[in-house]
Amino acid sequence: MKTKSRSIVSYLLPPMVLLFIILAGSVAFFSYRNLSSLLYSEYYNRLESTAAVLQAALPDTSDELRRYAPQVCTEFGKKQEIRLTFISPDGTVFADTHENPSAMENHATRVEIRQALNGEDAFSLRESPTLSIPMLYHGTPLRNSDGKIIAVLRSSIPARRIESLLGSAALSIALITAVLLLFSVLAMVLVSRKITVPLSRIAKYASSYGEFDFSQSVKAEGPREIVTTANALQKMARALTSRIGKVSSQKQELEAILTGMNEGVIVLDHNLVITELNPAAVKLINYSSEPIIGKSLIQVMRNTDIDNFALETLTAKAVRQSSFVIAVEGEQKHLQINAATIEAVLEGVYGRNEIQRLVLVLNDITHLKRLENIRKEFVANVSHELKTPITSIGGFVETLLDGAIEDKDTAQRFLHIIHNQVDRLGNIIEDLLTLSRLEQNEGGQGITFEQIELINPVQEAVSMCRRKASENSIEIRVDCETGLEIYGNSRLIGQAVFNLLNNAVKYCPEQSVVQVKGERDADGQVRLAVRDNGPGIPEADRSRIFERFYRVEKARSRDAGGTGLGLAIVKHIMITHGGSVELESGDSAGTSFLLRFPA
Amino acid sequence: MKEIRKHYHEAIAEIDREVLKMGAHVEESVGKAMSALVNQDTSLAEQVLAGDEVINRFEQQIQDRLTVLIATEQPVAGELRHIITSLKVISQLERMGDHSVHIAKAAVKIAQEKFIKSLIDLPKMAEYGMKMVHEVLTAFSDRDKDKAISVAQLDDRIDELHNQVWRELLTYMMADVSTINQATTLLFVSRWLERFGDHATNISEWVVYDSTGEHIELNL
């Protein structure tokens, strides 16, 4: 993402420096030029005025001039820097300040001499062939009284002086320019830092916002534009913070709802790969290896029916509901699954993205299924239990009508049986009514509770069983502490104890012993145990004996006159009392039921 | 690079899911065959017989897709190994499906007879077999060789149970000749379940090959 970019300074500096150089350069150039022409004209003036003075002072005849000239040259040359040369009109030199005239070449071709011979004053700047240095020359004609040119006076001065003056001037100009340039660059950098420093600070904040860190607020000083930008950024950060807060709180809310749900929720993508699921779903499918997200439905559930169901719903883009049976750790679970397709269009960084998701809501209906089964079984059982005595009564009545009534003995016997069966019917209906009353009054409304001695209902129940027990030579031993007080209904507790004793007496072989033991345990709870040393209850039946009409040995217990509701009534009586009944042990050493009353 | 191979990886993930689905079918079919046998439920056995068609179709389809993938994508190294492994796994699964069918047929055969003994060890063997398919396919899709190796150890339990059933049925046959017909059928069921475990072990070996490139012997 990072492209190489240049800073503001590097944008500003080159044009500014260029501009400055052009400006300073032209100022320097023109001032240098003016200075140089000023200097030159100064020197020219000196030569000119010297020539003019000498012109007036020198003799105006050729012979006299030739006699005096060498003397003038030497005299003048001693005092002045100016070199004088006298040249005759034919170009030969006859006097010179520095050189021997006879050794000097003809000067007629020199520019200033030529022009002077034509009668004009003339200047020239050129290298001296005799001295090999640049010189300023001035030639002026010397005339006799007739105005005829008798010689040319040439005065000259070395240009070196001017050049050295000009050189030092140029140096100082350059120096000043350089110093100024340095200052201006420095000033420019300082000024641009005024912009770049707050800008880079803003950039730092902006990038920390990019990483969703809104803890710092933008503080920027400097130019107005930058402050405005900083404020805008700050505003944006605030807006983002509140938006993010809103979104994340919504997400948390949603997550809390999903987590709190009892139903399992699984979200699948178009490939049936799990993208999200809640803890309830994890518990339901019981998939051990982490992580579940990213795994496909078939891998996690391993159920082709559910997979096909999901696939169908997804292809049909529909909402469906169905029930499945899955095996979890060897146990069968009934699942009701609601599936719904959701389609959403995501506006993302990479353009519009249509996504299809499938939401599965899993409901564990194992418990409901079991209740349903119990209900079905109950209805079937009730009908069966009622039908048996009625069939029997019907049969005997028919036989009596067919003539058996004439035989007194038989009729007597039949009527006895019918009476027994009616009793049985009455018992069943009585028990059913008791049960339904108990169920309606679960929690104890409608039943009078009072503080009672446990021994009283127990004794009552024992005395009711006594006759039948002695018929079978079964001994009933009561070992109940006195002073065991419970809060309950004496009649109901008596019935519960009676039911338990009745069972024991019915199913125990002769010479058995039934023990009733009441005590208070360490927690202050009152417990009543009814133990016998009868045949016990087979392991497979133990979990179901409290169900209505459940019989361990179907035929035998009905012969023994049971309704199949006794233990169910005991259970409900104990529930009404806020206590519980449990089968303590039921192996071949005998059966033991334990009633617990709340403290 | 990543984008270019995206199609390939998606195709592989999809085929992996198909393999898992085929495995789930096999798992269900052996479970159903076993409960058809135990509960003498011929209609459930018929379901298993009909379901074998589905398993066979899965094998063919996955095979074709893998072939096309080899032809068009020219996979190399680990990718090629996974494709080879997938091919081997589905042929093993197909054999396992056949064993379920055999068991279902046996269930039909003795559906009307009274069992000479209650079936306890055979369902246990089937349960271990189902667990093996289940776990080994998890290892396959997770490319988890350690899990594959640990799953193979379940096969020892199946073998033990097989030997036990064998001895037991032999004593029944020696004691009472009339039990031979049913006992041999049950013996075969036990044998098929034992083979079922062996195939699952073979899958474990291929899963190890998938992640290491080495062939190891787990079926000892």
Side-chain angles (χ1 to χ4, degrees):
Chain A
M1 283 295 279
K2 250 184 186 171
T3 53
K4 210 166 155 75
S5 58
R6 298 184 299 152
S7 73
I8 281 185
V9 181
S10 76
Y11 271 107
L12 276 179
L13 211 51
M16 288 310 219
V17 169
L18 197 70
L19 202 68
F20 183 84
I21 286 174
I22 290 171
L23 212 72
S26 49
V27 168
F29 174 72
F30 284 110
S31 55
Y32 180 79
R33 225 177 57 163
N34 282 346
L35 187 68
S36 114
S37 62
L38 197 73
L39 276 173
Y40 276 108
S41 64
E42 176 63 32
Y43 272 78
Y44 283 134
N45 278 340
R46 254 174 81 184
L47 289 179
E48 202 174 19
S49 56
T50 310
V53 170
L54 284 174
Q55 205 172 18
L58 282 170
D60 55 357
T61 57
S62 185
D63 297 338
E64 267 179 275
L65 188 65
R66 278 178 185 271
R67 209 167 49 244
Y68 280 112
Q71 198 186 338
V72 171
C73 282
T74 13
E75 291 295 319
F76 209 80
K78 277 179 197 159
K79 288 175 195 147
Q80 291 278 337
E81 215 180 351
I82 296 170
R83 171 191 174 193
L84 293 179
T85 314
F86 289 89
I87 300 126
S88 60
D90 60 356
T92 51
V93 178
F94 60 87
D96 188 79
T97 314
H98 298 312
E99 302 285 323
N100 182 6
S102 54
M104 293 169 73
E105 58 186 279
N106 192 306
H107 272 49
T109 53
R110 307 284 200 276
V111 182
E112 69 280 358
I113 313 280
R114 213 169 53 225
Q115 283 185 352
L117 285 175
N118 285 339
E120 296 167 12
D121 280 13
F123 293 103
S124 159
L125 171 63
R126 58 185 173 78
E127 194 172 304
S128 151
T130 25
L131 297 173
S132 310
I133 50 164
M135 304 275 281
L136 281 178
Y137 294 101
H138 177 248
T140 186
L142 298 177
R143 294 164 198 272
N144 60 8
S145 48
D146 303 337
K148 188 175 174 266
I149 297 172
I150 51 169
V152 173
L153 169 62
R154 188 184 71 171
S155 51
S156 63
I157 191 164
R160 194 178 57 233
R161 286 270 311 156
I162 304 172
E163 273 165 10
S164 76
L165 274 175
L166 276 178
S168 66
L171 190 71
S172 48
I173 289 174
L175 214 67
I176 289 166
T177 312
V179 168
L180 280 179
L181 184 64
L182 205 72
F183 272 121
S184 67
V185 166
L186 213 67
M188 216 131 48
V189 169
L190 282 176
V191 167
S192 63
R193 273 178 64 84
K194 274 268 183 203
I195 300 170
T196 56
V197 169
L199 264 186
S200 64
R201 190 179 302 147
I202 288 176
K204 204 181 77 195
Y205 288 127
S207 63
S208 78
Y209 291 166
E211 286 153 11
F212 298 105
D213 170 20
F214 296 104
S215 55
Q216 294 158 308
S217 59
V218 189
K219 284 172 290 237
E221 295 142 5
R224 197 179 60 225
E225 289 84 351
I226 286 174
V227 172
T228 319
T229 311
N231 288 343
L233 195 69
Q234 178 77 52
K235 218 158 135 188
M236 187 190 82
R238 267 202 296 272
L240 269 178
T241 315
S242 83
R243 183 67 61 87
I244 288 171
K246 208 182 271 173
V247 168
S248 66
S249 82
Q250 271 173 356
K251 197 168 172 345
Q252 274 169 4
E253 212 169 286
L254 201 66
E255 245 164 45
I257 292 171
L258 278 178
T259 310
M261 269 172 87
N262 248 335
E263 291 84 5
V265 176
I266 303 179
V267 183
L268 302 164
D269 72 2
H270 61 282
N271 283 327
L272 296 184
V273 171
I274 296 173
T275 58
E276 230 167 303
L277 80 173
N278 67 348
V282 177
K283 218 172 100 189
L284 265 180
I285 59 184
N286 193 39
Y287 185 75
S288 49
S289 67
E290 290 282 319
I292 302 180
I293 288 174
K295 296 269 163 68
S296 60
L297 182 68
I298 184 74
Q299 174 166 7
V300 172
M301 302 282 278
R302 288 304 165 78
N303 189 309
T304 51
D305 293 334
I306 294 177
D307 203 62
N308 287 335
F309 165 72
L311 202 63
E312 268 169 37
T313 315
L314 198 64
T315 352
K317 297 184 181 176
V319 178
R320 299 257 166 98
Q321 189 190 58
S322 194
S323 298
F324 302 91
V325 181
I326 60 167
V328 174
E329 288 177 343
E331 271 181 49
Q332 292 211 320
K333 263 191 196 173
H334 293 262
L335 284 188
Q336 188 188 52
I337 303 184
N338 289 282
T341 322
I342 42 172
E343 277 174 287
V345 179
L346 283 188
E347 299 274 356
V349 186
Y350 307 107
R352 277 163 69 89
N353 231 343
E354 271 188 45
I355 54 160
Q356 208 177 27
R357 293 266 187 275
L358 186 71
V359 182
L360 298 183
V361 179
L362 286 68
N363 240 324
D364 188 355
I365 52 167
T366 316
H367 188 61
L368 285 177
K369 280 269 175 195
R370 218 183 61 226
L371 287 180
E372 201 180 296
N373 274 343
I374 288 174
R375 190 185 58 80
K376 277 183 195 159
E377 260 176 47
F378 177 71
V379 172
N381 281 333
V382 168
S383 329
H384 179 76
E385 295 289 338
L386 294 177
K387 188 140 196 301
T388 317
I390 285 174
T391 313
S392 152
I393 292 168
F396 286 112
V397 167
E398 212 170 294
T399 320
L400 286 175
L401 285 176
D402 282 352
I405 198 160
E406 306 300 337
D407 182 349
K408 198 167 179 213
D409 280 355
T410 315
Q412 187 82 31
R413 197 160 53 84
F414 280 11
L415 285 173
H416 224 44
I417 294 172
I418 290 171
H419 182 243
N420 275 347
Q421 295 294 347
V422 170
D423 264 358
R424 217 170 109 68
L425 266 180
N427 281 342
I428 292 174
I429 289 164
E430 183 60 38
D431 278 357
L432 278 174
L433 285 175
T434 310
L435 261 183
S436 84
R437 257 202 309 277
L438 283 170
E439 262 178 352
Q440 272 168 16
N441 295 324
E442 216 125 89
Q445 306 99 317
I447 296 173
T448 46
F449 279 79
E450 56 201 341
Q451 209 70 24
I452 52 165
E453 251 328 296
L454 182 59
I455 191 77
N456 296 339
V458 171
Q459 290 293 10
E460 217 166 288
V462 170
S463 67
M464 280 163 76
C465 289
R466 210 49 105 190
R467 195 177 58 86
K468 200 169 178 190
S470 57
E471 276 173 17
N472 295 342
S473 11
I474 290 172
E475 189 191 341
I476 300 177
R477 284 188 203 148
V478 179
D479 170 20
C480 197
E481 296 170 23
T482 46
L484 282 181
E485 286 211 333
I486 54 164
Y487 186 69
N489 182 297
S490 184
R491 192 181 57 78
L492 288 178
I493 289 167
Q495 175 159 22
V497 177
F498 171 78
N499 283 1
L500 291 177
L501 283 175
N502 199 25
N503 278 351
V505 168
K506 255 191 287 186
Y507 300 120
C508 284
E510 293 192 359
Q511 311 297 337
S512 302
V513 177
V514 179
Q515 233 185 350
V516 181
K517 188 172 163 63
E519 61 186 0
R520 192 181 288 277
D521 70 3
D523 300 335
Q525 280 187 336
V526 175
R527 304 195 301 184
L528 186 72
V530 179
R531 271 188 208 101
D532 65 42
N533 51 1
I537 297 169
E539 173 101 48
D541 297 309
R542 281 180 206 165
S543 61
R544 300 192 62 186
I545 53 167
F546 291 105
E547 283 176 25
R548 288 156 204 206
F549 296 116
Y550 189 83
R551 295 169 194 278
V552 175
E553 279 173 80
K554 313 270 185 282
R556 202 170 75 89
S557 63
R558 204 170 290 132
D559 291 347
T563 57
L565 293 168
L567 285 177
I569 290 173
V570 173
K571 180 178 150 194
H572 280 281
I573 288 174
M574 291 315 293
I575 290 174
T576 308
H577 282 83
S580 65
V581 56
E582 59 196 70
L583 181 63
E584 244 188 338
S585 68
D587 51 16
S588 54
T591 313
S592 166
F593 286 97
L594 184 68
L595 304 181
R596 289 177 193 275
F597 296 92
Chain B
M1 184 66 189
K2 208 173 159 194
E3 277 303 300
I4 295 169
R5 305 296 287 166
K6 196 180 161 203
H7 168 73
Y8 174 79
H9 289 303
E10 275 178 3
I12 280 292
E14 204 177 323
I15 294 174
D16 274 3
R17 287 196 292 276
E18 292 292 294
V19 173
L20 281 172
K21 204 162 170 181
M22 181 177 173
H25 273 290
V26 171
E27 194 182 326
E28 283 167 14
S29 95
V30 72
K32 278 183 188 165
M34 193 32 84
S35 76
L37 181 76
V38 172
N39 302 323
Q40 305 196 303
D41 183 345
T42 44
S43 73
L44 195 59
E46 297 294 337
Q47 267 184 43
V48 175
L49 297 181
D52 192 47
E53 186 53 39
V54 178
I55 294 176
N56 291 346
R57 211 167 43 237
F58 260 108
E59 191 203 6
Q60 279 168 11
Q61 279 170 1
I62 296 172
Q63 213 164 11
D64 290 348
R65 294 190 62 175
L66 287 169
T67 313
V68 169
L69 214 57
I70 294 176
T72 54
E73 302 279 346
Q74 276 110 44
V76 290
E79 292 170 351
L80 183 62
R81 276 211 304 277
H82 187 69
I83 289 185
I84 301 291
T85 302
S86 306
L87 281 170
K88 292 290 184 181
V89 167
I90 54 171
S91 74
Q92 297 289 337
L93 286 174
E94 196 272 334
R95 291 293 301 146
M96 292 161 99
D98 288 347
H99 289 319
S100 305
V101 167
H102 295 146
I103 296 169
K105 280 180 180 164
V108 174
K109 192 178 161 194
I110 57 171
Q112 308 304 329
E113 296 177 24
K114 192 175 185 321
F115 284 127
I116 52 174
K117 63 176 280 268
S118 55
L119 302 183
I120 294 180
D121 290 338
L122 289 177
K124 225 181 261 176
M125 285 172 79
E127 209 171 284
Y128 281 132
M130 285 165 75
K131 193 169 179 196
M132 281 183 83
V133 198
H134 192 114
E135 303 276 309
V136 81
L137 288 181
T138 306
F140 166 76
S141 72
D142 291 349
R143 322 274 204 270
D144 184 347
K145 74 177 169 77
D146 297 334
K147 182 163 188 149
I149 292 171
S150 75
V151 171
Q153 279 158 6
L154 276 175
D155 192 39
D156 296 345
R157 306 240 194 111
I158 297 184
D159 290 349
E160 272 167 33
L161 284 169
H162 173 60
N163 289 334
Q164 194 176 316
V165 169
W166 184 277
R167 279 196 304 273
E168 209 177 338
L169 287 171
L170 225 52
T171 37
Y172 272 101
M173 285 190 274
M174 285 191 284
D176 183 356
V177 188
S178 67
T179 59
I180 287 180
N181 185 37
Q182 194 188 112
T184 43
T185 306
L186 292 179
L187 262 186
F188 271 115
V189 170
S190 173
R191 173 74 182 149
W192 290 319
L193 288 172
E194 192 265 331
R195 293 300 303 152
F196 194 89
D198 288 347
H199 287 302
T201 310
N202 289 345
I203 296 179
S204 286
E205 290 171 4
W206 280 108
V207 171
V208 174
Y209 169 78
D210 187 6
S211 48
T212 62
E214 283 166 20
H215 292 283
I216 59 161
E217 188 60 52
L218 292 171
N219 206 347
L220 295 172

